[in-house]
Amino acid sequence: MDRKLFSSRTKRFDHRVVASALVLLVVTLLLLAAPARAAPEGAAPEGAAPLVLALAPPEQPGTDDPDLDFDIPATLAPQQEVSAQDSQLSLRRGMLVGHQALGFGLLATDLAATIVGQLNYNDHFVSGAPTGRYQSAHRTLAWATVGTFVATGALAVFAPSPPRRVSQGFDRIALHKWCMASATAAMVAQAALGMATAGREGRLNQQDVGKAHLVIGYFTFAALAIGFGALVF
């Protein structure tokens, strides 16, 4: 009787132990599964943070906040200076190209004026019977030469100066300038003597003034030719 009672109590105790162990196991599994279910609803796991930081593009300085763009003030002034120099050099190049183009026309016009001037001198003072057939043509060519000379010289004088030009002594450019200065003085004297020759009709010294006008005309053409050739050839 006592053994049966002891055996039944032992079985009841074993069942309670087993039930308690099962309950403890279930509770443990639920506690372990709770973080896995809460992870998608909350913040990302700690292990994903470095991946997000690694994939994030680096911020470019000076693109969002103008106050942090330190490169703009340092490069803006040199860029504007280079642009201004480029525009000045482009203008200078265009004016000097026009100067050379008009130089061809000036040389041809002055050559024609010199030839017709020699023919007019021969007709008026050498032939003995002046006809005056070259007088109008010579006057037209003379004033055309003066106008072309002024326009050609203005393009060179008013062209922008180069930014930094190192003097190389007496070179081709210096020869060109000296020849053009001589031609300028000679052309002024030639124009004055030409008008004086026309105003001394019937006077004894008219031929002498006309000869001086003719000689200076040849000198003017020689100065123009040398100065033109100094840059072209």
Side-chain angles (χ1 to χ4, degrees):
M1 183 67 181
D2 295 334
R3 291 181 178 177
K4 291 181 179 180
L5 180 60
F6 178 77
S7 177
S8 62
R9 289 180 178 178
T10 304
K11 290 181 180 179
R12 290 177 193 173
F13 179 77
D14 293 338
H15 289 310
R16 291 177 182 176
V17 172
V18 172
S20 299
L22 290 176
V23 171
L24 182 60
L25 178 62
V26 171
V27 172
T28 304
L29 292 176
L30 291 176
L31 292 176
L32 292 176
R37 289 195 303 268
E41 298 177 359
E46 296 181 358
L51 179 61
V52 175
L53 293 177
L55 295 179
E59 295 183 358
Q60 298 294 332
T63 57
D64 296 331
D65 192 353
D67 296 334
L68 298 179
D69 196 351
F70 300 105
D71 294 334
I72 291 180
T75 58
L76 184 59
Q79 289 177 356
Q80 291 179 347
E81 183 179 355
V82 171
S83 178
Q85 290 180 358
D86 290 342
S87 62
Q88 290 292 320
L89 290 177
S90 178
L91 178 61
R92 173 181 172 82
R93 188 179 300 109
M95 294 181 70
L96 292 183
V97 168
H99 173 74
Q100 291 181 352
L102 285 179
F104 284 99
L106 173 63
L107 196 63
T109 305
D110 189 68
L111 176 61
T114 303
I115 293 175
V116 176
Q118 179 68 63
L119 294 176
N120 185 48
Y121 179 86
N122 293 340
D123 177 69
H124 197 81
F125 298 109
V126 179
S127 65
T131 61
R133 56 181 178 177
Y134 300 108
Q135 188 172 355
S136 178
H138 176 63
R139 184 184 300 111
T140 301
L141 288 172
W143 286 115
T145 301
V146 173
T148 307
F149 183 81
V150 171
T152 306
L155 288 176
V157 171
F158 296 107
S161 301
R164 290 179 298 273
R165 184 178 183 275
V166 179
S167 178
Q168 298 180 355
F170 190 82
D171 54 359
R172 296 178 7 154
I173 296 178
L175 176 61
H176 174 77
K177 290 181 178 180
W178 276 103
C179 289
M180 292 303 107
S182 301
T184 301
M187 193 167 292
V188 172
Q190 186 180 2
L193 288 174
M195 291 185 289
T197 302
R200 292 180 177 274
E201 189 68 37
R203 297 186 181 183
L204 296 177
N205 63 347
Q206 183 185 22
Q207 184 175 0
D208 296 334
V209 176
K211 184 179 293 185
H213 169 75
L214 182 64
V215 171
I216 293 178
Y218 280 105
F219 175 83
T220 303
F221 175 75
L224 290 175
I226 295 173
F228 182 79
L231 294 182
V232 176
F233 302 106

